Amino acid sequence: MNGFVAEALRVRRNLAWSSAVGLGYLVLYLWAIQNLILAFDGDLTRFVPVPSVQVVPDWTDRMFEPIAPFYYESVIAIYPVNHVTLLVSPLNLAMGLVLTALVALNVAVALQVARTGIACRRSFAGVLGALPGFLTGFACCVPTFALVLGAQFTLALIALRSWFFPFALAAMLLSLAWNARRGRRLAAPASLGLSRAASPVP
Amino acid sequence: MRPAAAPAVRRGTARKLGIVPSRSGIEPNEMRDELDSGAAPEPAQPERRLTRRTLLAAGFAGVGAIAGASYLASRLTGDGKEALRPAPAGSGGDTLAELARNVTSGGPPKDGIPSIDEPKFVAAGSARFLADDDVVFGLELGGEARAYPQLVLVWHEIVNDKVGDRPISVTYCPLTGSTVAFRGTSARGEALTFGTSGDLVNSNLLMYDRETDSRWPQILGQAIVGPSRGRRLEEIPLQWTTWRHWRRAHPDTRVLSTDTGFLRNYGDDPYGSYNPLGGYYKRSSSDLFFPVLNDDSRFPRKDVFVGAKLAEVRLAVRKDVVRRERAVMARMGRSRVAFLHDPDLDDVRAYRAHAGGRALLLAPGSERGRYVDEATGSVLDARGGIVSGPLRGSELERVTSYDVMWFAWAAFFRDSEVLG
């Protein structure tokens, strides 16, 4: 598996696409868990100088305090421009980066499988496994996405909340392993055929 | 048991309503290199298979480790579920037991919504983060005026403050639109301070006290679970008003600062907006995120009522009715109670309408913010002080009352009298 993944990452096009998708995922993830806040109807300058950075005094303890399962307190706030806030929670960010790396690897491997010409769109389906990661954010009493999806989803989201991050992680790992293994199996006969045709007849 | 209250409404519409309630293991690249070079394939490399398996195993171990670590972290930080086993029955009646059975998780763990335990205040002139029409909860106590902005409390729900040397906890539940301040002691006489349990009952904030770890629904003001089960808190009314109104009425007010020690997006209310009214808070919104024990459809769920408590009697008056009528008289048990609209704050205060050994019958006066007792001609201001007439100098006793969404009041107090 690791050989195929490494091969996928050696292709510049794969690397570019996976980096772009990974970066997009990270931004979406941070927005979904409300660590990246875009509030165009509010005026941030009412509350803080812009640009500015705030750090909570007891950040070493605070960073481990959970707000919800797999969702932790922010210890740094960055206000780069009005309407945009970036809250930095080292644990949230670490989890986001793990998911981002897996998304990027899944995309690179799926592209490499597709390059063999034998693959189908299913190779990209594994990336969907990253979606539950978006649901880990909480705002006060209610999951962030319940506020978007509607009140009827609240209890279901709360009941499943502990599983979103582990599920996303497991789904992405399994998808990566399955795609890499499949890519290696599918690519091998093709390369064998090509090589044999090109080889001198003994 | 229904209270024997018989609301005697002087003006406007008033109703008395009872609430009912692989193949070889050879990597493709290796195979291609071998064929291209014309060399025969080497036997499989067991080390590589081992490496793959190791990686897979490490991946799953990682998932397990993270899940386990998170679980352990939540246990170490404590989510308080153990404390939610109802205490033995007999000390508080069926209502407390029923409420205890219907506690639901709001999602966050205990203290996941952090209370403000070391509040910082700024002068009115320095509170530039407040817009004129932003909602503030005003506290008038011990000669002091303090404003607690809704845009701060929506992220914390509890402020453990002190007035003088005495602790006071200012609380706000966004889901039920209720705000009330509390003082309380444990059975051993310790002053109570509060945190959020992360749970809800009837969609209402379920607080826990840090001294006995008992659970207290905010609207009930009484412990339903834990060593303090059955004990009640002293409720101190807060004024639900706007910054413009409060600042004019109390130019020397101090204002809770956004420097809370926590990083929150204070300009943004996750549920909606009170300025302008929108989202979850809209009167026309019937969305409830959590179940309630009694869903009373006689009024829109989000209609704002003023809920009053006097001894064991509960009475709710639609706030718009008091706004319109300016003075609404009602009876709570044996007491006559007046709900007076304070035009300075655009808010309602409730008083026992008794002074000088007699019951008063109040009607709006000709002057703004003045009320006249029809029997004696005595004139009152909206703060319950009699400013002229035979009863001049007397002050009416305040009755605990606070704004609350209709659905929440009805869910807690099925036997409440209602004026709507």
Side-chain angles (χ1 to χ4, degrees), chain B residues 371-384:
Chain B
Y371 309 89
V372 180
D373 172 36
E374 292 195 341
T376 65
S378 298
V379 178
L380 289 82
D381 62 20
R383 295 184 186 187

Side-chain angles (χ1 to χ4, degrees), chain A residues 1-4 7 10 34 37 39 41-42 44 46-47 54-58 62 64-70 72-77 79 85 87 95 138-143 146-147 150-152 154-155 158 161 165-166 169-170 173-174 177 181 183-185 187-188 191-192 195-196 199, chain B residues 22-23 25-29 31-32 35-36 48 51-52 55-56 59-60 62-63 66-67 69-71 73-74 77 81 104-114 128-131 134 151 154-157 174-175 200 258 260-268 270-271 287-291:
Chain A
M1 182 185 91
N2 55 334
F4 191 82
E7 185 183 337
R10 278 197 292 270
Q34 287 290 289
I37 300 154
D41 54 346
L44 202 56
R46 279 168 60 187
F47 302 92
Q54 281 182 7
V55 182
V56 298
D58 52 344
R62 183 67 58 77
F64 296 107
E65 289 177 6
I67 294 175
F70 298 101
Y72 294 86
E73 280 285 357
S74 303
V75 293
I76 302 171
Y79 309 100
T85 304
L87 298 175
M95 289 187 288
F138 260 79
C140 298
C141 287
V142 180
L147 295 165
Q152 64 272 34
T154 311
L155 293 178
I158 289 173
R161 69 193 193 278
F165 182 77
L169 199 61
L173 281 168
L174 285 170
R181 187 182 174 93
R184 180 168 52 79
R185 282 180 169 180
S191 57
L192 272 171
S195 300
R196 277 182 184 135
S199 302
Chain B
S22 159
R23 181 179 58 104
I26 302 174
E27 295 289 345
N29 283 347
M31 187 176 280
R32 190 181 299 121
L35 288 167
D36 288 348
R48 283 194 181 279
T51 304
R52 284 198 303 274
L55 279 173
L56 267 173
F60 285 112
V63 174
I66 291 173
S70 171
Y71 175 78
S74 70
T77 51
K81 298 292 182 214
T104 54
S105 170
K110 193 177 183 182
D111 288 324
I113 300 169
R128 295 186 191 90
F129 62 91
L130 282 172
D134 283 346
L151 58 81
V154 74
W155 291 101
H156 298 281
E157 302 190 355
L175 292 175
L200 303 162
T258 55
T260 60
F262 295 90
L263 298 173
R264 293 292 186 273
N265 189 30
Y266 289 121
D268 189 31
Y271 303 112
D287 282 350
L288 296 184
F289 290 110
F290 298 94

Side-chain angles (χ1 to χ4, degrees), chain A:
Chain A
M1 182 185 91
N2 55 334
F4 191 82
V5 173
E7 185 183 337
L9 290 173
R10 278 197 292 270
V11 178
R12 187 171 296 175
R13 182 170 159 271
N14 294 353
L15 194 60
W17 273 105
S18 61
S19 301
V21 172
L23 185 65
Y25 177 83
L26 183 62
V27 170
L28 266 175
Y29 176 84
L30 293 174
W31 172 79
I33 67 168
Q34 287 290 289
N35 276 190
L36 173 64
I37 300 154
L38 308 170
F40 295 105
D41 54 346
D43 182 7
L44 202 56
T45 58
R46 279 168 60 187
F47 302 92
V48 287
V50 175
S52 66
V53 175
Q54 281 182 7
V55 182
V56 298
D58 52 344
W59 64 273
T60 47
D61 294 330
R62 183 67 58 77
M63 62 187 277
F64 296 107
E65 289 177 6
I67 294 175
F70 298 101
Y71 190 56
Y72 294 86
E73 280 285 357
S74 303
V75 293
I76 302 171
I78 304 168
Y79 309 100
V81 291
N82 197 6
H83 312 299
V84 178
T85 304
L86 180 61
L87 298 175
V88 181
S89 157
L91 295 187
N92 291 351
L93 193 57
M95 289 187 288
L97 287 171
V98 168
L99 290 180
T100 296
L102 285 168
V103 166
L105 289 174
N106 267 283
V107 168
V109 168
L111 284 169
Q112 184 66 5
V113 171
R115 274 188 66 207
T116 63
I118 330 162
C120 59
R121 290 191 194 104
R122 275 185 301 173
S123 307
F124 293 92
V127 179
L128 297 174
L131 296 182
F134 291 146
L135 302 174
T136 53
F138 260 79
C140 298
C141 287
V142 180
T144 313
F145 262 74
L147 295 165
V148 178
L149 297 173
Q152 64 272 34
F153 295 99
T154 311
L155 293 178
L157 285 171
I158 289 173
L160 296 171
R161 69 193 193 278
S162 303
W163 298 99
F164 290 142
F165 182 77
F167 178 81
L169 199 61
M172 301 285 283
L173 281 168
L174 285 170
S175 162
L176 183 63
W178 183 77
N179 257 345
R181 187 182 174 93
R182 184 163 155 265
R184 180 168 52 79
R185 282 180 169 180
L186 291 170
S191 57
L192 272 171
L194 282 169
S195 300
R196 277 182 184 135
S199 302
V201 177

Side-chain angles (χ1 to χ4, degrees), chain B residues 34-162:
Chain B
E34 287 155 3
L35 288 167
D36 288 348
S37 64
E42 292 277 325
Q45 301 286 323
E47 293 82 4
R48 283 194 181 279
R49 237 182 301 182
L50 186 64
T51 304
R52 284 198 303 274
R53 285 175 183 165
T54 306
L55 279 173
L56 267 173
F60 285 112
V63 174
I66 291 173
S70 171
Y71 175 78
L72 278 173
S74 70
R75 300 311 296 173
L76 287 171
T77 51
D79 60 5
K81 298 292 182 214
E82 300 87 347
L84 289 179
R85 285 187 222 108
S91 57
D94 293 343
T95 305
L96 301 187
E98 186 185 20
L99 290 169
R101 281 194 304 271
N102 285 278
V103 167
T104 54
S105 170
K110 193 177 183 182
D111 288 324
I113 300 169
S115 61
I116 301 174
D117 297 329
E118 293 174 12
K120 294 177 183 170
F121 291 86
V122 296
S126 303
R128 295 186 191 90
F129 62 91
L130 282 172
D132 280 352
D133 292 324
D134 283 346
V135 168
V136 298
F137 309 131
L139 175 70
E140 299 158 323
L141 191 67
E144 281 194 57
R146 295 185 190 181
Y148 300 84
Q150 186 268 345
L151 58 81
V152 177
L153 261 70
V154 74
W155 291 101
H156 298 281
E157 302 190 355
I158 297 172
V159 182
N160 288 305
D161 201 357
K162 276 188 175 179

